[in-house]
Amino acid sequence: MKLSIHSSEQMGRRGAALIMTLIILALITVMAMGFASLVRNETLSAGSHQSRGRALLHAQMGTDIVTSTLRNLTADPGLTWASRPGALVTASSDFPTKLAVQTDLHSGFPSARMLAPDSDVKDVLRPANVNMATLYDDGGHLITDETGGGTQPMALPLRWVYIRKDGALDFAEEPDLTNTANPITGRYAFWADDESSKVNINTAWKRNAPGDSESGASFNPFFPTHPTGVDLGALFTAADPSLTPVTARQMADFLHASITPNHRYTSVAAAGGRFFNDLSEMRRLDHLPGSPGGFASVLSKARFQLTHYNHDPDTTFFNEPRIVLTTQEKYAPRNPDGSLVTDANGVPYFLDILNTPDSDPGQGSKENLNRAKLDKTIRKLITYLQRADWPMTSGSGGSLQSKYYPGSTAFENNELRLTQMALNIVEYVRSAESSLSLVEPIRGIIDLNGTYGAKGAFISNAHVGDVINVGNGVANIYKGSARSLYITEVSAWIGDKPVVRGGVNYWPCELYCEIHLPKHGGLDHIDLADVDGKMVSVGYSHYLLNPGEFFSPDTFAAFTGKYIPCHATTIIGGDTKIKAGEYRTAYLKALIKVNARPATMPLRLGLALGPKMTPTQVATEGVPDPGSVFNNARRLELAPAGQVFTMTVDPPSTPKESIRSYEVTEHNVNSVARSWTHDENGALIPSTSLAPHTFGSINRRTQSVLGQHASALAFPPSSSPELDTDKDGNVTAAGLRMPYPKGHAKNPHGIVYSAGELGFIHTGIESNRNGTLGGVPFRTLRLQPSRHNTTVVPDWAFMDLFSAPVVMPASARRIFAPNDSALGGRINVNGMVEPFADTGRHPQLSAVLERNLPVIAVLSGVPNPTETDPDRLVNAAEAKATAANIYHRKLATGGKNYGHPGVYDSPGEIAEIAGVADQGELSESILRSIASLITTRGSVFTIYTIGQSLDQTRSHDLRVTGEQRHRTVLEALRHLDPATGQATRIHFRKAGHTDLYP
């Protein structure tokens, strides 16, 4: 049968339709499969993104925990705190100044089981390693490339903190994975480093070596205690022993020149210099023209010891600003608006005593010194001396007042005597900042009755005339210890036969006054007849005679005053030039109008810097009126300051060369009569042991004490503060020092360079003229291991209440002083790394991570004089050994642990450590050199965090679905309250943030 055409066409159409249908179905199927695949991929992508987001949130938890911990524990100005890498140590509200509780700034250290490679712990539960390898820094490891004795960079393991579905935290190292109702969904680990325990490459540089010339292009123009004095070269050689010291210094110079080509911070940016924004930028220095190379290698070895940014609170452990040891307003702490920072009583935090800001403080006149300001400053210092809540002492601790003046707490007995110690601090600073050769000491009284102003105020006699005479009824008379000349020995010879004139007896008399220029008194030499264009005059003041009856026959014209200029005719031997440590004796011939030869003579002697006169002028014109010499000149000395002492006159026929004399044991201790008329054990003098006199040479009383073993002396009592001694325990005068004048090669800047210079403050000068004994010679604030128990406040604690001025280059101010209560570049001596070096708490540590190179950089090259080598410096080996002692808290012989056992409460506490200041008074130079460069807490922390999102599987296992790592630099900005001066306004900000990728 033959098909019709129409049937075949119809069949073709049907076939085509079938094919098209199949094609469409296929396309639909492909599209459906594509959509399904797309949905599946989008689901996976969304899940991955969600896991990453969860990991990000988990990582942020570590940062938030550290931030909240710091905000909670360090923002209360009433609570003391200290920091170290990985931990805070804080006080409790019950004892707000006593460090008591350590709070870890990390997620925990794993147990031995979790660390053991052969244990059956699941791999997914193994601890986090915060020190991952990274491409971020040329393939190095994140925190350190140190191997800890192995072959690979150290792992820094941390415990995980697990997070369950309902947000609960699970701190178990092996959490329960069978809980399907509330499964594990993530975990995090974190560790916070204290950047102040590192060396800041933006502020550190080097110390000048012996022989370096100021004209040298790379001479450090800043003073040694400036943050630039932290020695990078010493750190480089300690990190890489293959480097020679010369190469290391070249590297330090090259690094610093990349910041400021002229090394003075006036060339930053303008000459191509710039500060480092990250440590990794050190590597580029290897590729710059003229580079000595080695920076990449050093960075690999010392990354853990270095930082590009840090600062610490420039406040005391009482959380108030330190008193800057300066009279110069330009160095005073200021608020952001430029006003002076003051305490609640309106007293600024510097020695505010001048009428004209930033003027030379050496003049003691009322035009120069402001009585009201001086009173407030003295009172402020006294309140510190009276504090009894020191953080490092055990028990109540007592105060420096109770330490130096034990017994009655009556105002007249002890608090008044504190004024002398406070005044000595002011005097030392005045001497450092004055360009005058001789600084007029401040004299005064405490106005108990309100005669001259406020009751209880310190009144300087520069403002009320001769207030000493007016105030004879008070017990305490004050004379500051400044850069000056001192009277150390006096005597009088009276002839056997009177000169009879008009029926009146006049007895020939010669008065002798020994003038001493202290060995370390701030002057190498001086000419008594020519000091700053003036002349030293000697005053003989007594109450036996009336004015006009005391004159000088023979040599001079009628002497109606009581002062005699020093020139060749009035100085025994004729030499008016005096070198440091020497003595000159001035003498005066006179006739005393009295009927019978006197057996005693009450005396008080003075030195004044008055008009310069030649012998001819004196002989023809006489001595100027006492008012013109004493009131219009600088009064350098009055001995004793508080009253006359009665001198016993030798019997008739005693030769002049054999007369007895009255002398003091030590030049500072001459303010009260008892220091002249009694020895240190209470015996009356003079005695036969003081005959004949020792004019022109060292006093016998000095020889009987100086160089003697302190234990062999009957004074002071064993319970009293110690005398200054050398390394063998013998009494020394090494602590009796005064600064050179401003502009001198040994004091070019004219400032106090370190809070450690408080170790020169004399604590034995007696102000109470009615006391049983005189003052205590050869005793200064002790910045050495304390010989008292830990219930007595050590002298070194007082140092932390003060700071030295810091000269801030304008272009670098934000680096050196990031805000109004912070200072960059100091080194936190609390460098023990928690938990990676704390074997006491974590004995399972197989290797420890130490950070002691910064302390080596601080110690290297600082003065460490000996009796035979006064210019000796700390060498590399000594710096390394002492830094290890500080790091491991190895006590000196007789040293003690104060305060919290895990940290240093105060920078001065390192005085108790072996190698720091345990070799006698001279060894205080080490602490003095670094006191302004160390701290016990920081304000910049780098937080390393790891966050992971997890799936808890049906097989009771964990699967990591996302990970995020962060490095966040967090800084605390502490602003001072203008009303109280305390650091009450505090906020935290991120100074840097980096997402980390392996």
Side-chain angles (χ1 to χ4, degrees), residues 71 75 192 288 296 301 454 473 557 657 719 739 946 959 974 997:
R71 180 178 289 115
L288 297 180
K301 293 179 173 65
E657 61 273 13
S719 60
I946 309 170
R959 181 167 61 89
R974 303 172 189 278
Y997 303 97

Side-chain angles (χ1 to χ4, degrees), residues 25-49:
L25 290 175
L27 287 173
I28 292 173
T29 301
V30 170
M31 291 176 64
M33 292 178 66
F35 278 121
S37 177
L38 180 63
V39 169
R40 184 170 61 255
N41 288 336
E42 285 296 320
T43 300
L44 290 174
S45 177
S48 177
H49 183 74

Side-chain angles (χ1 to χ4, degrees), residues 57 69 172 202 233 241 302 351-352 432 445 459 670 771 810 870 892:
L57 292 174
T69 301
N202 279 318
L351 306 182
D352 185 22
I445 63 169
I459 307 295
N670 67 1

Side-chain angles (χ1 to χ4, degrees), residues 63 941-945 966-970 990 992-994:
T63 302
F941 298 85
T942 297
I943 308 167
Y944 300 90
T945 60
H966 291 162
R967 179 174 62 182
T968 302
V969 179
L970 184 73
K990 289 183 179 179
H993 179 83
T994 305

Side-chain angles (χ1 to χ4, degrees), residues 883-903:
N885 292 342
I886 293 173
Y887 183 84
H888 294 291
R889 298 177 68 91
K890 181 181 178 181
L891 296 175
T893 301
K896 303 173 184 64
N897 278 313
Y898 283 83
H900 193 277
V903 296

